[in-house]
Amino acid sequence: MNVPADEPGNPAHATFERFLHAGECQEVLGCFTKLCQQLGLQGSGLQLYHGLKAALNYWNAKALWSKLDKKADHKDYDQGTACANTKCLVVGAGPCGLRVAIELALLGARVVLLEKRSSFSRNNVLHLWPFTIHDLRALGAKKFYGRFCTGTLDHISIRQLQLILLKVALLLGVEVHINVRFSGLVPPSGTVGGWRAVLQPSSSSLSHYEFDVLISAGGGKFVPEGFKRKETRGKLAIGITTNFINHHSRAEVEVAEISGVARIYNQSFFQNLYNRTGIDLENIVYYKDDTHYFVMTAKKQSLLKKGVILQDKVDIESLLAPENVNHDALLSYAKEAANFATNYCLPMLEFALNHRALPDVDMFDFTCMMRSENAALVREHNGARLLLGLVGDCLVEPFWPLGTGVARGFLAAFDAAWMVRRWAAGTPPLEVLAERESIYQHLSQTSPDNTNKNISQYSIDPATRYPNINLQAIKASQVRDLYLVGMVEVDHKRKSDNQLTTVVSGDAYEELLSWCQASTAGYRGVAVTNFTTSWTSGLALCALIHHFHPNLVDFDSIDPRDPIQIHQMMLDKAEQELGIQPVLSSTEMAAMAEPNRLGLITYLSQFYEAFKTSSGEEVSQKPLTPRGTRGAILFLSKLQKSRNLTHKRTQDNAQKDGETKRICRDTKVDVGLDGDTPDAAHKLLQPTMMHPGQPPAHRHSSDACCFCGLHVYILERASAEGHFFHRGCFQCQCCRATLRVGDYSFDEQHGHFYCSLHYPTPPSMDLPHDEPLVLPSGDATATDLPLDAGSPCVSPKEGIPSPVQPMTADPQLGREPGTAEDAEDAGDMKEQELLAQPRGDTREKEDLRLEPQGVVEEPEESGGRRKIVLTPLEKFKLSTLNLTSEAEPEPPLKPARLRLQALPEAVPVLCRGQDAWGEEEDIAVEGALEESDSEEEEEDTVLGTEVPGTGIDLVSVPQFLNLGPEGKPTMPECTLTCRARDAQTKRFRQAQAIQRRLEEIEVTFRELEQQGIKLEKLLRDEGGTPEKQKTQWMNQLLYLVQKKNNLLSEESDLMIVVQELKLEEEQWQLDQKLRYYESKEESLKTSEDRMAAQETLAQLLEVVRKRDALILRQEEKRLSELQA
């Protein structure tokens, strides 16, 4: 007999409230069972939900039913009848498994969910995309967890997310069984009956449950039979996660979270960390939730030196085995890193405990990432069909720094639910599979930027989420192998073969020779018949370059008497103007012995790939631009050339200044009676360095690495500044960090290479900004390049807060003991930069545009400085400069919970000049979240004081923000904080994606090199190998060279983005520093404050102009490639 739920003191109300706020898995299940008993409800599915809704109609329950009813009324569910006759088994109660179970229940299916554990114990925190926030709010997340998304960053612990989804699943009638392990499938034994599961314990009542849909969400270690997996491998990557107890004290709340900081664009922070603690990291993230959660990527050598890893081993599994890890040292390592990252502001760091009652610290390997080759398949046995689908980690293992795991997991859950809906509607199985695979193609590329912005319209229908998706991209005939009939025995651990193939068609060798002959025909003294003697004079290479770029070579004026000088000139032209890296030295090309023939062929193949035309296409009279294969390399080559010139000029000027000061000091004693300076002094005052365009006096041999001295084969050969080396040997002279083209500094005087942080530039010498850039060609503005798009950002120890720490004191004060020396060292290493003007004829206009209007001349005693006076509006415009350009592929998202209508009149300045995505698409995102916010404003149970309309806790707002009259941050300040956080998060995710891809490219390079070395040895063998076989090997080598060139091009494209990220990070830190000074009351500012503010402003303007120049060059590169 049902108990009336509206009677005063009804115990069902108290039980329901305990259910809503239960914090453990078993407590949730116990409360729900008790609630159903009290209400006399039985059964499952939506019938149970309607019974609960009818029995519990008091105010708190009705608010939840309203949300769930709105969700269930969507047309995709057909009022809960779309899958009414479908029986589903979901394996795994992780977030993705629970989320797909909820969707299947809303479709009307009977859903049974299995979980092998009995508790939710994962404290690790997940980053949430805007659509996941909206989706969880639509499911009533704040009813179950009042603190949901109330901070400045949007995230939630895995445990809390599981609890929310478990409660929703139970209310919608999902049957949840814990302590039950899925072990396999039992096909129907006869014509009667269906598919069943092998379970442990075997006595489970579900052993006889028959189902026609199986959704696996059991994690990456379990994939049902029939699915093939493939692997992407990068360099060794060791992750560390740790959780500390969050006491929710005021001091803890005031510590800012770290949405992510990466070495790739903030090298100085990690260098200071290493100098201070000996800890060497690639990245670090800090989220504040139920715990203080830190996750970082550590370098192996650092773990060995700190005693965390006991012995170095080649096998990764053995390396990280428990017996090879000092757990106490690991705890100390994680705690030290967490303290440094938060500037030692988190009091009493105590480790939270995991499910084993041990400190919650884990070290794991994510070198290899696995993904399934397909998302679904169908098995048929004795006439019974079973649809199998994957979601979560067993579909695609997420790369944790990207923060994509739960978002893409939810998208896959929606896609799987849509597949089941189509299956239940009677769609032919092959069509269901083809459509599912068409959708699966999009999953790995999805991001908040390329999914539909109107997140309030998201549903299980893929068209509501993926723009312009083609559901017939894969045809039914292409997925026949995914329909398995009968018994199958497939090793689900099998990995697809990723080995590179060198099987080539055609004769690449003869094709290259014919192309060279055709391109050099008709030139005086040039007759190409082979790849040795025909090229020794250098005229053939001159003719080849002149044929495609007549403006680079005056062929008629070439003196053939000095072939080494001719080759050197052509090698430099090709590298600096065409982006084609040398493979041989000028001396070797002039001699052109038979052993160097392979190097010449490799070198010429780069020209062929850059300038070849399709059959029947004629070469135009205007110079051809290298194709995309070389375009990015050319761009970085010019960028590197400008950077080296800057360093050289700075160093020369600093040396001359130092010598002048020394001589002036010495001549006070040594000067003669007639006042003349000794001749030696005159000589010292004269410049001694070579002209910037002059090549180094000595060119190294190409077959010996200039770093290690070992032989370097063609496929593993790289070059820079006339030096040849193994890619792996190209490291910073100081810190041994890996260097790449476009991201290094070269000390020509000593012949050493450095990263941008450690280049030994004298810190006291600033170049005059009114001096035009002099390039080797003599054109002051020929390249229009920023001279250093990769300068290091100032570290916390240099007077600027840590990557996300708010400024609470003067940037020059309050340093930790020992940081003063570190800051001085970092200052010595900071390179000096000169900004190249984008256009010589527009330079004056640009100066006028960027220079503040109020300029007051100060007395001469001030050293000739000009005092810059800004109006409040000018300060606001400057601090919120919008640099987004159409050339930028992915502008950063705005914050999820922004309310534009509440902003004052000054704020529209922020939106000027943005692309169409800014005002239309993001407003749709913000509007959807705003709507869900407004629905819950009265019912939210949150801690802390929220700034109205922002979702920002007052206690978590950085303290350098301007506070309004009531002591709360003003709306513009909160908006800017949200935007800065959002941009920082996106910058970190983008940097990590680039870092991962660079590592994957490095691994592929190694595979190419190994095959290339084998082929090169075979070709150099003097044995009696048939000529036909040698030609085949040569074709294979050229094929590998082409693949290498393509990888180099991709790597260069990525490095260009790295330069952008570095400048963005530098601008952000300068902006924070400027805001600190400007937030001070005018009466409290010292002369040092005003001077520091002026210097920061000048640096900020310089970075802005560099970004403009970089964007301009990228746009020119894009247009030139379109015209090619």
Side-chain angles (χ1 to χ4, degrees):
M1 178 178 178
N2 291 356
V3 180
D6 54 352
E7 288 184 2
N10 191 322
H13 291 181
T15 303
F16 186 67
E17 290 297 321
R18 287 197 300 273
F19 167 78
L20 292 179
H21 300 100
E24 300 293 337
C25 174
Q26 295 192 48
E27 182 185 2
V28 172
L29 294 172
C31 288
F32 187 75
T33 300
K34 184 177 180 180
L35 177 65
C36 291
Q37 291 173 350
Q38 290 175 338
L39 298 176
L41 297 175
Q42 295 181 351
S44 62
L46 292 179
Q47 181 182 359
L48 177 63
Y49 168 71
H50 293 306
L52 289 168
K53 187 171 65 170
L56 297 170
N57 57 6
Y58 72 105
W59 67 273
N60 201 23
K62 288 170 68 176
L64 180 58
W65 306 141
S66 175
K67 283 188 169 294
L68 294 179
D69 283 346
K70 182 178 179 180
K71 179 76 175 176
D73 286 342
H74 195 279
K75 61 182 179 63
D76 287 346
Y77 304 122
D78 288 342
Q79 298 297 317
T81 62
C83 299
N85 298 319
T86 305
K87 296 180 180 180
C88 303
L89 179 68
V90 179
V91 179
C96 298
L98 287 164
R99 191 64 192 85
V100 74
I102 290 171
E103 290 300 324
L104 294 175
L106 289 170
L107 286 166
R110 180 186 176 185
V111 185
V112 174
L113 186 145
L114 307 180
E115 172 55 46
K116 63 181 179 182
R117 301 181 181 89
S118 60
S119 63
F120 298 154
S121 58
R122 289 184 288 176
N123 294 314
N124 294 353
V125 179
L126 300 171
H127 173 72
L128 300 178
W129 291 4
F131 94 84
T132 54
I133 297 172
H134 183 273
D135 178 65
L136 291 168
R137 283 178 173 166
L139 294 174
K142 291 184 78 71
K143 278 295 179 183
F144 306 111
Y145 182 52
R147 294 172 55 85
F148 177 71
C149 284
T150 55
T152 55
L153 294 179
D154 299 321
H155 49 66
I156 189 172
S157 69
I158 298 177
R159 189 178 69 84
Q160 285 292 352
L161 180 57
Q162 285 178 284
L163 289 171
I164 291 171
L165 295 174
L166 174 63
K167 295 170 185 178
V168 176
L170 290 171
L171 293 175
L172 293 175
V174 175
E175 303 173 45
V176 180
H177 299 263
I178 59 175
N179 291 319
V180 179
R181 182 187 296 271
F182 178 86
S183 299
L185 290 168
V186 179
S189 56
T191 56
V192 179
W195 290 82
R196 293 180 290 113
V198 179
L199 304 177
Q200 296 177 358
S202 56
S203 58
S204 172
S205 59
L206 294 174
S207 298
H208 301 289
Y209 174 62
E210 296 181 352
F211 48 88
D212 46 19
V213 174
L214 171 65
I215 303 296
S216 176
K221 294 183 179 180
F222 172 75
V223 179
E225 290 81 358
F227 288 94
K228 299 177 183 178
R229 309 193 79 195
K230 58 184 178 181
E231 169 188 282
T232 57
R233 177 178 292 271
K235 295 200 300 185
L236 177 64
I238 301 174
I240 297 176
T241 60
T242 183
N243 287 276
F244 299 98
I245 296 174
N246 189 349
H247 299 283
H248 301 285
S249 65
R250 181 78 186 190
E252 289 173 294
V253 171
E254 288 179 346
V255 178
E257 296 173 306
I258 302 175
S259 57
V261 58
R263 177 184 292 271
I264 199 171
Y265 61 80
N266 194 343
Q267 189 178 356
S268 59
F269 170 79
F270 294 96
Q271 188 63 43
N272 288 333
L273 170 64
Y274 179 76
N275 293 339
R276 181 80 173 269
T277 65
I279 294 173
D280 203 3
L281 303 179
E282 287 289 348
N283 52 51
I284 189 168
V285 174
Y286 162 48
Y287 286 158
K288 197 182 325 182
D289 208 88
D290 291 339
T291 62
H292 297 288
Y293 170 68
F294 292 84
V295 58
M296 62 201 81
T297 303
K299 293 189 175 183
K300 183 180 72 170
Q301 291 303 319
S302 171
L303 294 170
L304 287 167
K305 289 180 181 179
K306 298 286 285 185
V308 178
I309 297 177
L310 302 179
Q311 293 183 350
D312 191 5
K313 298 184 178 181
V314 177
D315 179 63
I316 300 176
E317 189 173 347
S318 301
L319 181 73
L320 302 182
E323 59 270 15
N324 197 41
V325 175
N326 184 331
H327 195 66
D328 291 336
L330 176 60
L331 297 181
S332 176
Y333 191 97
K335 193 170 185 177
E336 274 190 281
N339 271 322
F340 183 90
T342 56
N343 207 18
Y344 301 87
C345 292
L346 280 178
M348 296 166 46
L349 278 182
E350 301 177 40
F351 287 101
L353 301 181
N354 58 20
H355 62 286
R356 299 186 183 92
L358 297 174
D360 193 358
V361 180
D362 187 28
M363 187 162 60
F364 59 96
D365 163 52
F366 60 99
T367 302
C368 303
M369 310 302 297
M370 305 295 296
R371 59 172 292 150
S372 176
E373 291 187 355
N374 50 287
L377 57 84
V378 173
R379 292 188 60 180
E380 180 181 337
H381 190 78
N382 288 336
R385 291 174 177 170
L386 175 66
L387 176 65
L388 296 93
L390 304 180
V391 296
D393 289 2
C394 61
L395 181 62
V396 179
E397 285 186 352
F399 181 51
W400 71 261
L402 299 183
T404 58
V406 68
R408 290 178 180 170
F410 275 25
L411 291 174
F414 299 158
D415 297 336
W418 179 258
M419 174 184 68
V420 176
R421 186 185 189 277
R422 297 272 289 160
W423 175 268
T427 306
L430 289 180
E431 291 186 17
V432 173
L433 292 173
E435 183 177 275
R436 179 69 187 96
E437 297 308 313
S438 298
I439 299 169
Y440 180 45
Q441 287 183 327
H442 291 258
L443 185 63
S444 294
Q445 286 76 41
T446 53
S447 70
D449 296 329
N450 58 25
T451 48
N452 283 331
K453 304 304 177 188
N454 193 357
I455 59 177
S456 63
Q457 299 299 316
Y458 278 23
S459 72
I460 61 174
D461 185 351
T464 64
R465 293 174 278 119
Y466 307 112
N468 306 317
I469 187 170
N470 179 11
L471 297 179
Q472 284 80 42
I474 294 179
K475 306 301 181 183
S477 59
Q478 298 175 263
V479 295
R480 295 186 185 278
D481 59 330
L482 300 181
Y483 192 102
L484 309 178
V485 180
M487 298 295 293
V488 293
E489 295 183 5
V490 181
D491 182 6
H492 63 266
K493 294 182 180 179
R494 174 190 166 191
K495 302 172 185 176
S496 61
D497 186 9
N498 286 335
Q499 292 297 318
L500 293 165
T501 176
T502 57
V503 177
V504 294
S505 59
D507 193 338
Y509 177 85
E510 291 297 334
E511 186 177 345
L512 176 63
L513 181 60
S514 299
W515 180 81
C516 291
Q517 290 171 338
S519 301
T520 58
Y523 283 88
R524 170 182 52 86
V526 177
V528 175
T529 59
N530 54 40
F531 288 114
T532 51
T533 57
S534 299
W535 300 84
T536 54
S537 68
L539 294 178
L541 186 58
C542 289
L544 186 63
I545 295 177
H546 182 270
H547 181 71
F548 295 103
H549 268 270
N551 59 315
L552 296 181
V553 181
D554 184 0
F555 185 84
D556 294 331
S557 65
I558 294 294
D559 184 0
R561 291 175 294 181
D562 190 354
I564 294 180
Q565 184 62 30
I566 294 174
H567 276 108
Q568 188 58 64
M569 181 174 64
M570 292 302 101
L571 289 173
D572 292 340
K573 290 287 186 182
E575 182 177 10
Q576 297 168 7
E577 303 298 337
L578 304 177
I580 296 176
Q581 302 295 316
V583 178
L584 299 171
S585 68
S586 57
T587 303
E588 292 169 330
M589 292 192 70
M592 197 45 63
E594 181 64 26
N596 292 323
R597 184 174 69 104
L598 295 178
L600 177 64
I601 293 173
T602 302
Y603 182 60
L604 295 176
S605 69
Q606 297 182 69
F607 286 89
Y608 177 68
E609 290 298 325
F611 296 111
K612 67 179 179 180
T613 56
S614 58
S615 57
E617 185 179 347
E618 295 183 359
V619 179
S620 61
Q621 294 301 316
K622 65 178 181 179
L624 290 180
T625 302
R627 297 165 182 258
T629 311
R630 317 304 315 169
I633 300 175
L634 171 60
F635 178 81
L636 285 181
S637 178
K638 289 180 177 290
L639 185 67
Q640 190 64 57
K641 178 181 173 182
S642 298
R643 181 185 290 116
N644 291 344
L645 178 59
T646 302
H647 292 324
K648 189 178 181 64
R649 288 160 56 86
T650 305
Q651 200 170 46
D652 290 350
N653 288 332
Q655 288 177 353
K656 286 190 290 185
D657 282 359
E659 293 293 344
T660 301
K661 291 177 182 178
R662 185 181 65 79
I663 292 168
C664 291
R665 183 177 63 249
D666 294 342
T667 52
K668 289 180 181 179
V669 179
D670 297 336
V671 113
L673 293 177
D674 57 353
D676 290 338
T677 304
D679 293 339
H682 285 293
K683 293 179 181 178
L684 287 173
L685 286 171
Q686 296 174 359
T688 59
M689 301 299 288
M690 292 186 300
H691 187 275
Q694 184 177 345
H698 175 66
R699 292 283 172 165
H700 295 263
S701 171
S702 64
D703 61 356
C705 177
C706 68
F707 295 108
C708 69
L710 299 178
H711 185 81
V712 53
Y713 291 90
I714 290 174
L715 257 295
E716 57 182 1
R717 188 175 301 173
S719 66
E721 311 300 332
H723 296 262
F724 297 91
F725 43 79
H726 301 98
R727 281 177 56 87
C729 294
F730 193 31
Q731 297 177 346
C732 173
Q733 178 73 15
C734 181
C735 66
R736 296 302 173 189
T738 300
L739 302 178
R740 291 184 172 89
V741 175
D743 195 29
Y744 69 86
S745 300
F746 180 61
D747 181 3
E748 186 173 337
Q749 183 176 1
H750 301 95
H752 294 156
F753 292 88
Y754 296 91
C755 64
S756 57
L757 182 64
H758 291 127
Y759 184 77
T761 302
S764 59
M765 182 61 199
D766 289 327
L767 289 177
H769 289 279
D770 57 351
E771 187 175 324
L773 171 64
V774 179
L775 299 175
S777 62
D779 185 354
T781 57
T783 58
D784 305 341
L785 284 172
L787 288 187
D788 188 359
S791 73
C793 299
V794 184
S795 73
K797 300 186 177 181
E798 294 172 300
I800 289 185
S802 64
V804 294
Q805 282 297 103
M807 293 189 184
T808 56
D810 192 318
Q812 304 302 324
L813 303 176
R815 291 173 179 160
E816 289 293 323
T819 58
E821 183 178 351
D822 292 338
E824 184 178 351
D825 292 341
D828 290 340
M829 292 183 294
K830 183 180 180 183
E831 67 183 61
Q832 303 300 318
E833 302 172 344
L834 173 65
L835 176 65
Q837 305 299 332
R839 283 278 184 262
D841 55 351
T842 60
R843 177 176 179 176
E844 183 177 350
K845 296 179 182 179
E846 189 171 357
D847 287 341
L848 293 174
R849 175 172 55 86
L850 291 175
E851 184 176 349
Q853 297 301 313
V855 178
V856 179
E857 294 291 334
E858 290 192 346
E860 294 181 1
E861 290 78 11
S862 64
R865 289 191 175 90
R866 294 185 302 170
K867 182 176 181 180
I868 303 174
V869 181
L870 299 176
T871 66
L873 182 58
E874 286 173 334
K875 294 175 183 177
F876 190 81
K877 288 181 178 180
L878 176 65
S879 61
T880 58
L881 281 172
N882 177 41
L883 303 175
T884 304
S885 167
E886 292 181 0
E888 292 181 283
E890 294 183 359
L893 283 177
K894 296 181 182 176
R897 287 162 287 143
L898 178 66
R899 294 186 175 176
L900 295 176
Q901 69 272 21
L903 301 181
E905 292 181 0
V907 175
V909 175
L910 298 173
C911 302
R912 292 178 189 165
Q914 294 188 359
D915 294 332
W917 68 270
E919 297 189 3
E920 298 177 2
E921 296 177 345
D922 275 4
I923 287 178
V925 175
E926 295 159 4
L929 291 177
E930 181 182 326
E931 180 182 351
S932 59
D933 272 341
S934 61
E935 292 176 356
E936 296 175 342
E937 277 180 352
E938 297 181 358
E939 56 195 59
D940 286 350
T941 306
V942 296
L943 300 179
T945 304
E946 240 183 55
V947 181
T950 64
I952 302 177
D953 288 332
L954 175 60
V955 293
S956 63
V957 172
Q959 296 183 16
F960 60 79
L961 291 183
N962 294 325
L963 300 181
E966 299 181 0
K968 296 181 180 181
T970 61
M971 177 63 67
E973 294 290 0
C974 293
T975 300
L976 294 173
T977 300
C978 284
R979 293 192 174 196
R981 296 282 184 185
D982 209 35
Q984 187 182 37
T985 300
K986 178 172 181 178
R987 185 160 58 250
F988 175 73
R989 310 295 179 198
Q990 192 175 10
Q992 293 313 296
I994 291 172
Q995 182 69 36
R996 176 68 185 186
R997 182 55 190 152
L998 288 174
E999 292 174 354
E1000 292 173 358
I1001 288 174
E1002 198 64 38
V1003 171
T1004 308
F1005 264 125
R1006 290 203 205 106
E1007 296 174 356
L1008 284 172
E1009 288 168 0
Q1010 292 302 314
Q1011 296 188 54
I1013 290 172
K1014 292 179 182 178
L1015 288 171
E1016 186 173 347
K1017 288 180 177 179
L1018 292 171
L1019 286 168
R1020 292 186 185 275
D1021 188 9
E1022 297 296 334
T1025 307
E1027 196 64 30
K1028 184 177 180 181
Q1029 180 66 61
K1030 285 192 173 184
T1031 302
Q1032 183 178 350
W1033 288 338
M1034 179 62 71
N1035 291 337
Q1036 293 176 350
L1037 183 64
L1038 288 174
Y1039 171 77
L1040 294 179
V1041 169
Q1042 181 183 353
K1043 291 184 71 70
K1044 174 188 174 182
N1045 292 338
N1046 291 338
L1047 287 175
L1048 282 173
S1049 177
E1050 183 182 359
E1051 182 183 56
S1052 300
D1053 282 326
L1054 294 174
M1055 292 308 300
I1056 291 173
V1057 182
V1058 169
Q1059 310 308 317
E1060 293 184 69
L1061 294 177
K1062 286 183 176 182
L1063 287 173
E1064 288 177 16
E1065 177 71 12
E1066 188 175 0
Q1067 180 182 344
W1068 181 82
Q1069 294 209 17
L1070 289 171
D1071 182 72
Q1072 299 304 302
K1073 187 176 180 181
L1074 185 62
R1075 285 175 183 281
Y1076 163 75
Y1077 290 119
E1078 295 302 329
S1079 65
K1080 274 190 173 184
E1081 291 291 338
E1082 196 66 30
S1083 59
L1084 300 178
K1085 292 182 181 178
T1086 64
S1087 58
E1088 289 80 5
D1089 288 338
R1090 293 187 177 91
M1091 185 178 298
Q1094 291 180 21
E1095 292 176 353
T1096 304
L1097 176 61
Q1099 293 172 8
L1100 184 59
L1101 287 171
E1102 190 166 329
V1103 172
V1104 168
R1105 295 174 67 181
K1106 286 181 180 180
R1107 290 190 65 187
D1108 284 341
L1110 186 63
I1111 291 170
L1112 178 63
R1113 283 298 302 177
Q1114 283 188 276
E1115 180 65 10
E1116 290 177 351
K1117 170 180 171 287
R1118 185 184 69 84
L1119 293 175
S1120 65
E1121 289 177 356
L1122 290 176
Q1123 296 171 0

